[in-house]
Amino acid sequence: MSPIAITLTLLVLVIILFVTEKLPLAVTSMIALMVLVLTGVLSPKDAFAGFVDNNLILFVAMFVIGGAFFETGMANKVGGIVTRFAKTERQLIVSVMLVTGIMSGFLSNTGTAAILIPVVIGIASKSGFARSRLLLPLIFAAAMGGNLSIIGAPGNLLGKSALEAVAQDIGFFEYGYVGLPILLIGTLFFATVGYRFLPDHQGKTGESIYDKAPDFSQVAPWKQKVSLIVMVLTIIAMIFEKQIGIKFYLSGCIGALVLVTLGVISEKQAYQSIDLQTLFVYGGTLALAKALAKTGAGKAVADTVISLLGSNASPLLLLAVILLLSCVMTNFMSNFGTAALLIPISVNISEAMGADPKAVIVATVIGASLAFATPIGMPANMMVFAPGGYNFNDYVKAGLPMVIIGYIVSLILLPILFPFYP
């Protein structure tokens, strides 16, 4: 079999195993990684590169910072403040989604989710509502909010770079012309109809530190204050990443080390706060994403779909297909990987058809952000997998309707705001 055939066959098998969960997700991910190495599709160095990926490093750091925020009882205190203003579960969902979405417009969506997960778990603990009904809206809002500005998601910057290469540009908030309506409609959806699709795993327990009954009576007040200060400073450092010259994941590492060094969280508690399943699933699926890009399998799929349209396809049909391709691929590759793969193709399409590159690129970036239907679509999805007690199908049930909504809203707004032939 050719490398492309191996990669596509493996992709199908991984999807089937993820959906059926006949094997643990981490085991499936690592089997895929090993097959790619043993068949020579990827070198061991390329296959295991995901385990030193920047996002994975951020995971570990923010798991520790989040763990300290929870272990000291600070998350519970913050949760108590929020629950004073949001008395019902639906009100909490709306509050969580709006706060997360706005923050995500100025932080990375992954960073925003990492910061807010322990806060939301504290809210759930304080209010008595199931955390599984709050964490999915949190990560969905983080993805939607990523399209409020140029810096909200890595794919947005790729789109800007591609436009600059063809002597065009995009404003700081232009993605938000489509991103903000999707966030608002998505929030309204989960406050009404979508509320029914959220899983209720109230009694489900696991090995996460968030699963034990909280007792913060013996925690020194200074530890609570330091955990809050470190989290706030970490957020500020992430926002001003370029100005201070320290990468966001390094800021997370510094914060985590400070907390352990000062004894705010013990070394044992720090280890317990790190969810290994998340790390193995993320690292393993990154190898598959790399194989899709390196072998040309992902490009071959994209080219085949687009070529079926022909050179005289209507702008609306072209938009519908580009959006659909981005939506499907981003739920099985990283959203950044999908954008990186499809943006160059989108530029070629726009040139061949005489369409405005900006319209095609924005459509690609927006589509690549609709990664709601699987736990592997974006890093934040995996971060709540263990704390929420989720399975693969939980994401499908709650996320697929949101993908469809995002798709329809984009299909309506993009031709108006970014016409292919202005």
Side-chain angles (χ1 to χ4, degrees), residues 141-161:
M144 291 183 268
N147 282 328
L148 296 185
S149 76
I150 276 290
I151 61 173
N156 299 8
L157 293 171
L158 282 180
K160 179 177 172 63
S161 298

Side-chain angles (χ1 to χ4, degrees), residues 314-335:
S314 72
L316 187 60
L317 178 60
L318 179 62
L319 171 63
V321 171
I322 288 175
L323 268 175
L324 182 62
L325 195 58
S326 295
C327 285
V328 172
M329 290 181 65
T330 195
N331 279 285
F332 298 101
M333 294 176 63
S334 70
N335 45 8

Side-chain angles (χ1 to χ4, degrees), residues 86-140:
K87 298 297 184 183
T88 69
E89 197 172 46
R90 291 174 194 258
Q91 289 174 351
L92 277 175
I93 289 170
V94 171
S95 301
V96 166
M97 291 190 73
L98 291 178
V99 169
T100 303
I102 292 168
M103 281 184 62
S104 185
F106 302 96
L107 281 168
S108 73
N109 45 26
T110 303
T112 300
I115 289 162
L116 291 181
I117 284 168
V119 177
V120 171
I121 289 173
I123 291 172
S125 175
K126 193 75 175 177
S127 65
F129 298 124
R131 73 176 76 141
S132 62
R133 297 181 66 81
L134 298 177
L135 290 176
L136 281 183
L138 162 70
I139 57 167
F140 293 161

Side-chain angles (χ1 to χ4, degrees), residues 90 175 204 241 405 407 409:
R90 291 174 194 258
Y175 286 119
K204 196 167 184 175
E241 174 187 0
I405 289 170
Y407 182 86
V409 172

